[in-house]
Amino acid sequence: MVLIKSLKRNIYYITVLFVIAVMTLGLFMNNPRMGEFGVGYISHILLVFILAVCLLLYPKNRTYVFRVMITIVAASYFYTIFFLYPATWSSFIFLCFIPAIPILFFDSKLFYFSLILNSVSIILVFCYIVIFDQGHQYPYIEQDVIGNVINFFGSQAIIYFIFHLTNGRIKKQKVYYEQIQQSGRLKVTGQLAAAVAHEIRNPLTVVRGFMQLFEQDSSFSAERKGQIALVIDELDAAEEVISQFLSVAKPEKAVKAEIEDVKLVLQSVKELLQSYGLLHDNWIELNVIDDCKIIINTIEFKQLLINIIKNAIEASKTGDVVLISVKREKDNVVIKVIDQGIGMSEAEVESLGTPFYSLKSKGTGLGMMICFNIVEKYKGAISFETSKGHGTTVSISFPSI
Ligand code: ADP
Ligand code: MG
């Protein structure tokens, strides 16, 4: 990382030194104003000097003021050259490039500022040439003013387009980077949670063992034994939740597909998510026909269902019901997860499955990507029926056996 940074810095300095060398060459090589030492030539020298100092100091002073200064000094430099050396028609090209300077700083405010300033300045320059100069010094502009104006604004449009694309990409990358960091944190938290769950399991097993002993002890009354049985049941429920959580949090490496009864898997996923739904008073309702079997890996199937149902719960309003229905259609088993929640627009549906796409403040935007992968892996299909504000129906179908 340090190496890359110093390499980048070196490239910056080499480029800047090259630019300074070119500017200095311009001062001395074949310069018609060199002997004069009038105001024009002195301002040229001064601007080269100020610009060189600014460029050399910039890496150590990456402030907004400095960027504004570099942009203004560079613009003044190009305009000065344009006026000092009218015979060098190519300096007009530099005027067109002025708004490109803030692009190098990735500063949009400064970009719009220089774009507007440059357009106003060029209009004034053209007016000067047409009204006062009348083609004496700038015949190549005066002879076709309209063409030059069109070319100038065309070049500004191209620069704007480049800026727009680069800016969009940079913004996207920034979001992407932040989300990668967030998902890294979540991964660690997930691993810790899995470790904690694993540790809780051991004391539970010990407590359950003792409870079982007490249950068999004849010195306890029948009423006590009933209560002990209840304790054992509750411990089993806790153990079940932990097992489920661990199976999703730490999937085994070798993933093998088996014949799965959709109803049984859905029932266990429902139990796992019921308490999550109850946080906002949401109920999960199952409407499943018997004997729907598909070939899939249990853990991945649960992962798929948990993600879809969790999204449905999170989209729901307080008190809403999430309905899950399973039907057989031709050779497929179709699972529908229906919510009455916030729904999605067409653009939102299109973005589903894009890694890190999430509209939730604490979302990871990974859930749907995982789902799409699992559905594809087992030759299934997934579709969405939704509109903003009117809920969502997610249909997942797999070949039945
Ligand atoms: P996350 O849940 O972490 O945000 P997902 O990949 O699971 O990531 O979902 C991506 C986005 O899709 C969600 O942020 C949400 O905006 C939208 N979404 C998914 N399912 C639903 C749904 N049932 N209703 C409304 N929006 C949904
Ligand atoms: Mg989700």
Side-chain angles (χ1 to χ4, degrees), residues 35-329:
E36 292 173 16
F37 271 101
V39 184
Y41 191 58
I42 291 173
S43 8
H44 186 176
I45 295 178
L46 267 178
L47 281 167
V48 170
F49 180 73
I50 299 173
L51 193 54
V53 172
C54 286
L55 288 174
L56 287 173
L57 290 182
Y58 178 66
K60 292 207 170 75
N61 299 279
R62 290 165 179 266
T63 57
Y64 185 65
V65 176
F66 229 79
R67 287 180 206 147
V68 175
M69 218 158 90
I70 292 183
T71 312
I72 292 177
V73 174
S76 321
Y77 171 75
F78 291 134
Y79 274 97
T80 308
I81 286 188
F82 180 77
F83 279 113
L84 285 182
Y85 312 104
T88 321
W89 64 265
S90 49
S91 50
F92 177 59
I93 296 173
F94 283 123
L95 300 189
C96 301
F97 274 119
I98 286 174
I101 301 166
I103 297 184
L104 302 177
F105 300 134
F106 301 124
D107 192 320
S108 45
K109 245 198 269 167
L110 199 54
F111 171 76
Y112 290 117
F113 167 71
S114 68
L115 194 72
I116 292 169
L117 196 69
N118 202 33
S119 304
V120 173
S121 311
I122 212 79
I123 291 170
L124 292 177
V125 167
F126 279 22
C127 288
Y128 163 79
I129 291 172
V130 172
I131 299 167
F132 299 105
D133 183 61
Q134 294 178 347
H136 284 299
Q137 294 197 299
Y138 300 92
Y140 58 93
I141 288 183
E142 207 264 347
Q143 274 161 20
D144 184 10
V145 178
I146 302 293
N148 277 305
V149 169
I150 291 173
N151 279 356
F152 173 79
F153 283 104
S155 70
Q156 303 306 284
I158 292 173
I159 290 177
Y160 172 76
F161 192 57
I162 293 173
F163 164 77
H164 183 72
L165 286 184
T166 337
N167 209 29
R169 245 175 243 169
I170 287 169
K171 271 190 196 152
K172 250 191 213 159
Q173 256 175 3
K174 223 167 149 186
V175 172
Y176 190 71
Y177 179 68
E178 275 167 13
Q179 282 168 336
I180 282 182
Q181 275 187 324
Q182 193 196 11
S183 82
R185 274 200 296 276
L186 277 171
K187 200 176 158 196
V188 175
T189 334
Q191 283 166 345
L192 286 179
V196 171
H198 188 74
E199 290 308 313
I200 292 174
R201 209 188 212 174
N202 294 340
L204 277 187
T205 321
V206 177
V207 175
R208 193 185 186 284
F210 277 108
M211 284 297 157
Q212 229 167 348
L213 278 181
F214 294 155
E215 200 185 17
Q216 284 151 15
D217 195 328
S218 51
S219 60
F220 285 108
S221 65
E223 193 194 353
R224 276 277 176 278
K225 281 189 178 171
Q227 288 166 340
I228 291 171
L230 209 69
V231 172
I232 292 177
D233 276 353
E234 290 301 306
L235 286 174
D236 283 345
E239 156 73 21
E240 178 68 14
V241 170
I242 291 174
S243 304
Q244 300 256 14
F245 171 72
L246 284 176
S247 71
V248 177
K250 284 202 312 191
E252 280 104 50
K253 284 204 178 70
V255 176
K256 64 179 202 300
E258 293 153 6
I259 298 176
E260 284 298 335
D261 188 326
V262 176
K263 187 176 181 179
L264 293 183
V265 177
L266 267 172
Q267 273 167 348
S268 85
V269 168
K270 179 190 164 183
E271 268 165 41
L272 188 70
L273 285 175
Q274 193 77 278
S275 48
Y276 184 70
L278 285 180
L279 285 179
H280 294 284
D281 228 3
N282 297 127
W283 291 91
I284 301 173
E285 241 180 67
L286 276 183
N287 183 0
V288 187
I289 56 163
D290 282 321
D291 222 25
C292 280
K293 293 202 168 84
I294 59 175
I295 296 183
I296 197 163
N297 172 264
T298 330
I299 294 164
E300 288 180 325
F301 190 34
K302 279 185 185 168
Q303 217 170 0
L304 168 71
L305 295 170
I306 288 172
N307 271 310
I308 304 276
I309 299 169
K310 203 165 148 279
N311 278 348
I313 293 174
E314 284 162 354
S316 296
K317 297 177 286 292
T318 308
D320 276 355
V321 173
V322 171
L323 180 69
I324 304 165
S325 78
V326 178
K327 273 188 235 149
R328 221 177 292 119
E329 277 175 19

